[in-house]
Amino acid sequence: METETHLSASAKVSSTITECTKTICVLGLGYIGLPTGSMFATHGMRVIGVDINPHIVDVLTGGGLHIEETGVKDVVREAMKSGNLVVRRVPEPADVFIIAVPTPINQDKTADMRAVTSAAESIVPHLAPGNLVILESTSPPRTTVDLVRPILERSALTAGRDFLLAYSPERVLPGQILKELVENPRVIGGIDRASAEAGRDLYTAFVKGEIVLTDATTAEMIKLMENTFRDVNIALANEFGLIAEKLGVNVWEAIDIANRHPRVKILRPGPGVGGHCIAVDPWFLVEAAPDRAQLIRQARRVNDAMPKHVVEQVKQVVAGIKNPAIACLGLTFKADIDDTRESPAVEVVKLLKAEGFDVRAFDPHVKIGTFSFQVESLAKTLDGATMVVLLTDHSAFKTIPRDQLTLYGQRTLLDTRNLLNDMPMDQPHLQMEKQPLMALAE
Ligand code: SAJ
């Protein structure tokens, strides 16, 4: 937090903003920007949604939706119908600017900040005294003060004196975005107290969870710590899975029993960690302190190696079979969504193809044509398959009769998510589901 003199100067700006906040320009209409902008619009604000992708702008103005997410369709429709949400390709003057653009990683695992940079640059011509700018994109620590602030100050306005600037991370879970936007606690880190307070006053429009104020760099670090916590814990679960496999232990049973301890909560092993957040964000901490982030780096490596491990399991099962055909079920990075970014399922399919296998994949949530190996129906995927690999735990897969998957026990099903709850994830080909219990009985 900055000095009191600075605070009182920006406090004046803040009170002006909160009294007359009417127009919010949201840059980036993806999984975060679109629901957030729509929520503001349905809570009485005038929202200008901006996306540089003409396809997204066309789809939205035509009444469509480019993402699949529970409830989002309804709130977007309501926002558009009310006239409070308009969609544009470039920013327009506003009271508040919210940046919600992607921050992927480069090949060398450093943050690709080009979208944040150009979004901030596109605000500069419109920035006016009294404005509030909020960065929501997950970003390396110090992005708000070291990257965004200098760009905005090219406007000849000074942050903290002429305009307010804050970082407020999105923390919503894909699949539950709308619910979590409203109910989750929200962190707002200001470059000064007035900026944080102005952010709080803004999000109060629809956030019902606690709103916690801090400084911008702490807020950036909080977001990265949350996702890193999850990544490291998933890596631990995956490592338990690998060890259990070696020992002939059913890891699912072991985790289930271990988790009955009041202070133990082991996460779920699987084919790897995907999505644009957990598989990416820990690297921002590694980048910030490469010599110190040892555990974080290693956890990333463990999780990144899981797709290759699944391929090794497949190879063991089909060893000796001539021209085996592999049917893969699920392409998204997790259940019941349409998002395939950084998906370990896609990685498994690509690795299997690189091994020369005949691979087909089916995912009821992914538009046909997205991948060359995609098959349009479950029946076609399974037809003639030597083995089936379940890679994503979509609810829809639970209803497929087991006999259809295993061809009445004639082919192996590798259930990497333990969705069907009756297979050890690690040694599907050795019929030893209940091995630890059987050993006990003897
Ligand atoms: N996964 C496992 N085992 C588990 C849990 C998850 O293998 O026990 C895998 C999933 O299958 C998936 C990946 O991890 O491939 C990530 O899924 P997720 O559900 O853990 O997380 P995301 O990426 O959908 O959302 C996370 C959330 N962060 C935390 O829970 C700390 C969400 O709150 C964030 O807003 C989001 O990242 C984000 O945008 O940063």
Side-chain angles (χ1 to χ4, degrees), residues 171-363:
R171 300 152 91 208
V172 292
L173 196 70
Q176 301 186 34
I177 288 180
L178 272 189
K179 181 176 176 286
E180 294 207 355
L181 259 186
V182 174
E183 291 174 10
N184 281 4
R186 183 167 272 269
V187 180
I188 302 181
I191 58 145
D192 54 21
R193 190 177 302 155
S195 296
E197 286 174 354
R200 178 194 56 204
D201 295 345
L202 179 76
Y203 286 101
T204 307
F206 66 82
V207 172
K208 296 210 165 27
E210 185 189 5
I211 299 185
V212 191
L213 305 189
T214 183
D215 66 86
T217 306
T218 304
E220 288 161 349
M221 175 121 183
I222 289 166
K223 166 71 192 191
L224 299 177
M225 281 164 52
E226 291 166 353
N227 279 356
T228 300
F229 172 86
R230 196 150 168 86
D231 194 48
V232 171
N233 278 284
I234 297 168
L236 183 63
N238 281 331
E239 199 159 283
F240 286 150
L242 296 171
I243 295 169
E245 176 182 341
K246 194 166 181 185
L247 300 175
V249 167
N250 179 340
V251 73
W252 299 103
E253 182 185 357
I255 290 175
D256 179 51
I257 297 173
N259 280 351
R260 293 169 202 220
H261 185 288
R263 285 177 296 285
V264 174
K265 181 76 190 85
I266 301 167
L267 295 182
R268 298 172 64 84
V273 168
H276 50 296
C277 310
I278 295 198
V280 171
D281 302 353
W283 288 116
F284 295 178
L285 286 178
V286 175
E287 186 184 354
D291 49 333
R292 300 192 170 195
Q294 304 288 343
L295 176 65
I296 298 172
R297 185 190 287 107
Q298 188 53 25
R300 277 282 68 247
R301 287 184 178 148
V302 169
N303 288 334
D304 275 352
M306 290 312 293
K308 197 156 182 279
H309 181 71
V310 174
V311 171
E312 290 307 316
Q313 289 178 298
V314 171
K315 280 163 76 179
Q316 278 182 40
V317 173
V318 300
I321 299 175
K322 211 170 160 217
N323 302 328
I326 319 291
C328 293
L329 299 186
L331 286 168
T332 62
F333 79 86
K334 62 184 225 177
D336 301 332
I337 58 168
D338 68 343
D339 195 337
T340 56
R341 285 177 290 179
E342 315 285 331
S343 173
V346 174
E347 179 69 9
V348 168
V349 174
K350 285 184 175 165
L351 288 171
L352 286 170
K353 280 188 81 70
E355 291 278 346
F357 290 116
D358 167 8
V359 191
R360 36 331 241 287
F362 170 68
D363 192 309

Side-chain angles (χ1 to χ4, degrees), residues 245 252 270-271 306-318 326-329 348 352 386-392 402 405-406 411-420 422-430:
E245 176 182 341
W252 299 103
M306 290 312 293
K308 197 156 182 279
H309 181 71
V310 174
V311 171
E312 290 307 316
Q313 289 178 298
V314 171
K315 280 163 76 179
Q316 278 182 40
V317 173
V318 300
I326 319 291
C328 293
L329 299 186
V348 168
L352 286 170
T386 316
M387 84 174 279
V388 177
V389 187
L390 194 146
L391 293 165
T392 311
R402 189 181 175 77
L405 294 174
T406 66
R411 68 178 161 214
T412 301
L413 164 67
L414 172 56
D415 180 359
T416 66
R417 301 276 187 174
N418 200 31
L419 180 72
L420 308 173
D422 57 356
M423 299 275 285
M425 83 145 195
D426 31 30
Q427 301 200 345
H429 51 298
L430 308 176

Side-chain angles (χ1 to χ4, degrees), residues 38 42 63 72-83 85:
S38 304
T42 53
V72 168
K73 200 184 215 160
D74 294 338
V75 74
V76 173
R77 192 176 291 153
E78 195 188 327
M80 298 284 272
K81 212 172 135 199
S82 70
L85 173 65

